[in-house]
Amino acid sequence: GQNIDQPTEMTATEGAIVQINCTYQTSGFNGLFWYQQHAGEAPTFLSYNVLDGLEEKGRFSSFLSRSKGYSYLLLKELQMKDSASYLCAVRDPGNTPLVFGKGTRLSVIA
Amino acid sequence: DVKVTQSSRYLVKRTGEKVFLECVQDMDHENMFWYRQDPGLGLRLIYFSYDVKMKEKGDIPEGYSVSREKKERFSLILESASTNQTSMYLCASSPHRGPEKLFFGSGTQLSVL
């Protein structure tokens, strides 16, 4: 089985940097995903990490440490449109679907 | 762009009714999934399918069934709707190989009265 933990809510200021953490305990591991979901909309893919280290994509970066069962999503130069829920999801080595954490609702304030 | 289309954005049904939620994807994806999303509980997997005619139970299959007669279409069926099935239902698809980058439909907000 898998257990995925992330904070329920976070608030940050426009223009700032915010780090959203995700920890997982799994029987196996074959990659970690981050999705963004605006209120009332479908989740959309942000990033995928399977090896340790930092993956940078514009204002967003995602980090993975497999030995610690830990990932974070880093958002720089926050904009109001970044207000959304951010979902962490983990994949098993077997042919099993992604398991999602409960999501972190980020509010960006002026 | 991949398009995953769910037939209804909002649906209101009565307790005991049989409910069909339809999902169609246009990118020839092998894999299709049905999730429900509830406040404080996140996304929970109901059923999934990795091929036509194939179906597998997810984490919360009770009270649901599915049908995949064609590759592009994956239907979720509530045999006898109950109030605790009021939820947002999200369909998703992904290609067979590679990381499981899911493409989601816009969701169906189902209310069972």
Side-chain angles (χ1 to χ4, degrees):
Chain A
Q2 300 186 355
N3 187 33
I4 302 171
D5 288 313
Q6 45 181 138
T8 304
E9 292 188 49
M10 298 182 71
T11 302
T13 306
E14 193 175 16
I17 299 173
V18 71
Q19 178 175 309
I20 303 173
N21 296 326
C22 172
T23 58
Y24 60 91
Q25 295 98 40
T26 61
S27 52
F29 178 82
N30 195 27
L32 186 142
F33 295 76
W34 284 96
Y35 285 79
Q36 180 190 56
Q37 185 178 24
H38 285 101
E41 297 182 13
T44 54
F45 170 82
L46 279 179
S47 69
Y48 169 66
N49 295 69
V50 67
L51 300 176
D52 291 350
L54 189 69
E55 295 274 347
E56 297 187 73
K57 197 185 290 186
R59 293 189 299 114
F60 291 11
S61 303
S62 56
F63 171 83
L64 175 67
S65 168
R66 288 172 296 170
S67 63
K68 295 182 179 177
Y70 168 68
S71 172
Y72 66 73
L73 182 69
L74 193 71
L75 290 74
K76 302 176 187 175
E77 301 169 18
L78 278 173
Q79 302 175 11
M80 301 300 283
K81 68 178 182 179
D82 297 329
S83 292
S85 289
Y86 292 86
L87 313 179
C88 172
V90 174
R91 188 183 187 195
D92 262 339
N95 199 24
T96 55
L98 291 181
V99 177
F100 283 85
K102 294 179 181 178
T104 299
R105 188 166 65 202
L106 173 67
S107 298
V108 180
I109 57 175
Chain B
D1 277 352
V2 174
K3 194 166 184 185
V4 180
T5 303
Q6 294 185 229
S7 53
S8 304
R9 186 73 179 92
Y10 298 96
L11 211 53
V12 180
K13 296 291 181 181
R14 296 205 176 275
T15 304
E17 278 192 75
K18 190 168 186 175
V19 182
F20 293 86
L21 302 183
E22 306 287 348
C23 176
V24 178
Q25 50 94 5
D26 66 0
M27 281 301 291
D28 202 36
H29 283 172
E30 305 284 343
N31 308 331
M32 296 190 76
F33 308 84
W34 274 107
Y35 290 89
R36 63 177 283 177
Q37 188 173 33
D38 302 285
L41 297 178
L43 279 168
R44 293 181 291 166
L45 182 65
I46 306 171
Y47 267 95
F48 62 100
S49 169
Y50 285 165
D51 201 354
V52 177
K53 307 279 186 180
M54 178 269 184
K55 59 186 178 184
E56 292 277 353
K57 292 180 181 179
D59 299 317
I60 51 163
E62 297 78 19
Y64 303 94
S65 62
V66 289
S67 171
R68 193 159 182 209
E69 296 295 317
K70 294 185 178 180
K71 190 176 185 180
E72 67 272 18
R73 185 181 297 270
F74 193 36
S75 303
L76 180 69
I77 303 154
L78 287 69
E79 294 290 341
S80 177
S82 63
T83 54
N84 63 13
Q85 291 178 309
T86 291
S87 185
M88 170 65 80
Y89 289 87
L90 287 162
C91 175
S93 71
S94 70
H96 183 66
R97 300 185 191 282
E100 201 158 343
K101 179 180 174 181
L102 295 175
F103 295 86
F104 284 88
S106 300
T108 296
Q109 179 61 52
L110 173 67
S111 297
V112 182
L113 307 178

